Amino acid sequence: MRRLTVALTLLATLAGGALAGSQAISAERETPGGRGTNILVVGIDSRAGLSAAEKLRLHVGGKGCNCTDVMMLVHLSENARRASIVSIPRDSYVQYADAAAPPAAPGPARLGKINGAFAIGAGPLSVRTVEKATGLHIDHYLETGFTGFEQTVDHLGGATVCTAKPLTDDGSGLDISAGVHRLDGNGALRYARARHINRPGDLGRVRRQQRMVNELLARLTSEGALAGPISAARTARTLLKTVRTDERTGLDDLIRIGWALGHLRPDRIEFATVPIRVFDHRVPGVGSTLLWDEARSAALWDALAADRPLKGDPRIQPVPETPAETNPGGIAVRVDDTAVAAALRRSGFVVTDTSQSAPPVRPAGPPVITHAPGREADAATLAAALPGARLRAVANHDKSFDVAIGTRPAPVKTVTYDRNRAEGAPVTADALRCPGAGANG
């Protein structure tokens, strides 16, 4: 249980992302039931009841929306041998369940961001809206807020995070150096809420949340947190002080689910984010929203309803022939060959043709890509488009990449960048572990 409530409680308070479909989900899908167990875990963005000192300590001085800031759907397979944890980012543009509209209101059900369902009808409407959008039946519901999340992490001995570069975010108060860190509840909250680091936005934040949840589950398992039913029940009672459940969810349910989660190998736990087609769908009166990719998201919900794994299903996250890990549209390139420059532009790179100043004698061998240190991820994307190219990091090089075509032919492959694949594709828990971390279970 300890592990379950950990996961669920942590999932609940993480400041979450946003997802949406090709258009607002406008009708209930015809899969009212399903196999396995579905738990909806939410974290609420509300300052109600917080003192000025608490707001300062938690770095949540802004105005709360009384909405769900995090939403994760945890699916435990019917045989309790596999779990899927799916993040539903907060700005998903969906149709609220019918109860969202006042009884006398004419016309169709309201559309809005999925996090707004809570402001209208609290937990019950959030559950019904998720059921309407996904077609899945929600069996259990867990909810917590800022202080509940902080206390949960502290009760469990902190949360481990790792980063290859320093991370700072003025909005959440996050400020950590590169490396591996054990954060207390306050630090974990700042990490989970950060939206303006690395790739801005909710998909990157959701993936970081998933990593933190995964590390916490792994550590609790390795420490024997589920050693027996008595200790599991004791932990459940402690954690329920910071978590609110619905009337269908009792201590015995949490112990049962937690016991199952605690005995899963890392390759039996998978994390994913709902696939998105439009990342900035503007709606008057609502603002910027996210639209789900209808076909991919439908495949995801169908897989959960059928109790099937998500990872490896090409309908959920199609894999491009040559995937790019970073966005070519943000990579400036100078190329001394007109044909290669034109081909790279077709993949979205920002290219300057420098063929007029090309050297009279080409360097021997394949193309050479010169770049500044610290740009390895973008360099890998450019190298994927130029198979066989040699990479050379040069100190004090500017932000652009220089491509010198060599004596060998320089074929150019079309690369495809898909934010869903880069930041939200289904992966197993072992793929999200910090470098050098031990096995989970």
Side-chain angles (χ1 to χ4, degrees), residues 93-164:
Y93 191 53
V94 301
Q95 186 181 77
Y96 297 141
D98 294 341
R110 291 179 54 184
L111 300 174
K113 295 181 180 181
I114 201 166
N115 68 341
F118 187 90
I120 299 171
L125 185 60
S126 295
V127 168
R128 292 198 298 274
T129 295
V130 169
E131 290 180 331
K132 185 180 187 69
T134 66
L136 299 171
H137 174 70
I138 302 301
D139 301 290
H140 302 289
Y141 172 83
L142 285 87
E143 167 197 316
T144 190
F146 293 139
T147 55
F149 174 80
E150 180 189 34
Q151 293 167 11
T152 296
V153 174
D154 284 338
H155 288 162
L156 297 168
T160 300
V161 302
C162 54
T163 173

Side-chain angles (χ1 to χ4, degrees), residues 258-342:
W259 183 265
L261 285 175
H263 289 78
L264 294 179
R265 302 195 315 261
D267 62 343
R268 293 285 183 170
I269 303 173
E270 56 185 0
F271 292 85
T273 302
V274 183
I276 299 170
R277 185 179 68 87
V278 180
F279 287 86
D280 186 19
H281 177 64
R282 299 281 174 163
V283 180
V286 178
S288 177
T289 69
L290 300 173
L291 298 182
W292 290 347
D293 183 297
E294 288 180 325
R296 293 186 189 183
S297 62
L300 185 152
W301 307 129
D302 286 344
L304 293 183
D307 208 22
R308 297 194 307 267
L310 306 179
K311 188 175 184 294
D313 188 334
R315 302 173 308 150
I316 297 172
Q317 297 288 7
V319 179
E321 182 178 349
T322 308
E325 294 301 323
T326 60
N327 188 356
I331 303 175
V333 185
R334 294 183 290 255
V335 186
D336 62 4
D337 181 275
T338 298
V340 173

Side-chain angles (χ1 to χ4, degrees), residues 25-393:
I25 308 301
S26 57
E28 293 194 46
R29 291 154 48 74
E30 297 179 359
T31 50
R35 299 163 54 194
T37 301
N38 297 316
I39 309 103
L40 183 65
V41 186
V42 304
I44 306 304
D45 180 354
S46 173
R47 277 72 168 170
L50 294 180
S51 67
E54 287 176 317
K55 292 179 182 178
L56 181 63
R57 187 188 79 249
L58 297 171
H59 208 86
V60 293
K63 183 179 180 181
C65 62
N66 191 35
C67 61
T68 52
D69 197 33
V70 168
M71 184 175 282
M72 290 188 177
L73 195 157
V74 180
H75 175 83
L76 182 64
S77 67
E78 190 169 26
N79 62 11
R81 295 180 180 177
R82 180 172 38 79
S84 301
I85 300 172
V86 180
S87 296
I88 305 178
R90 52 180 283 166
D91 293 335
S92 304
Y93 191 53
V94 301
Q95 186 181 77
Y96 297 141
D98 294 341
R110 291 179 54 184
L111 300 174
K113 295 181 180 181
I114 201 166
N115 68 341
F118 187 90
I120 299 171
L125 185 60
S126 295
V127 168
R128 292 198 298 274
T129 295
V130 169
E131 290 180 331
K132 185 180 187 69
T134 66
L136 299 171
H137 174 70
I138 302 301
D139 301 290
H140 302 289
Y141 172 83
L142 285 87
E143 167 197 316
T144 190
F146 293 139
T147 55
F149 174 80
E150 180 189 34
Q151 293 167 11
T152 296
V153 174
D154 284 338
H155 288 162
L156 297 168
T160 300
V161 302
C162 54
T163 173
K165 61 181 66 176
L167 300 179
T168 59
D169 179 38
D170 293 339
S172 74
L174 178 68
D175 186 4
I176 60 175
S177 60
V180 180
H181 302 268
R182 176 74 67 86
L183 303 179
D184 62 9
N186 186 287
L189 179 63
R190 296 179 183 220
Y191 177 88
R193 294 183 60 241
R195 300 181 68 184
H196 305 290
I197 57 179
N198 294 335
R199 299 176 183 125
D202 277 333
L203 259 67
R205 178 174 68 155
V206 164
R207 187 57 106 193
R208 290 191 297 273
Q209 293 166 3
Q210 293 171 355
R211 289 181 182 277
M212 184 163 68
V213 169
N214 183 45
E215 289 291 339
L216 183 54
L217 293 179
R219 179 172 62 80
L220 292 172
T221 299
S222 67
E223 292 176 356
L226 300 174
I230 296 178
S231 59
R234 184 182 303 117
T235 303
R237 292 191 186 95
T238 300
L239 291 175
L240 282 175
K241 296 177 182 178
T242 61
V243 179
R244 178 179 299 176
T245 65
D246 62 358
E247 68 280 357
R248 297 175 297 177
T249 305
L251 181 65
D252 56 338
D253 297 302
L254 297 181
I255 294 174
R256 174 180 56 82
I257 300 170
W259 183 265
L261 285 175
H263 289 78
L264 294 179
R265 302 195 315 261
D267 62 343
R268 293 285 183 170
I269 303 173
E270 56 185 0
F271 292 85
T273 302
V274 183
I276 299 170
R277 185 179 68 87
V278 180
F279 287 86
D280 186 19
H281 177 64
R282 299 281 174 163
V283 180
V286 178
S288 177
T289 69
L290 300 173
L291 298 182
W292 290 347
D293 183 297
E294 288 180 325
R296 293 186 189 183
S297 62
L300 185 152
W301 307 129
D302 286 344
L304 293 183
D307 208 22
R308 297 194 307 267
L310 306 179
K311 188 175 184 294
D313 188 334
R315 302 173 308 150
I316 297 172
Q317 297 288 7
V319 179
E321 182 178 349
T322 308
E325 294 301 323
T326 60
N327 188 356
I331 303 175
V333 185
R334 294 183 290 255
V335 186
D336 62 4
D337 181 275
T338 298
V340 173
L344 290 175
R345 282 196 194 98
R346 288 193 287 272
S347 280
F349 292 96
V350 181
V351 179
T352 300
D353 184 348
T354 61
S355 57
Q356 291 184 348
S357 58
V361 178
R362 295 285 183 181
V368 177
I369 300 174
T370 305
H371 63 91
R375 301 291 304 280
E376 284 73 22
D378 286 341
T381 293
L382 182 54
L386 294 167
R390 292 173 290 170
L391 297 174
R392 188 162 62 99

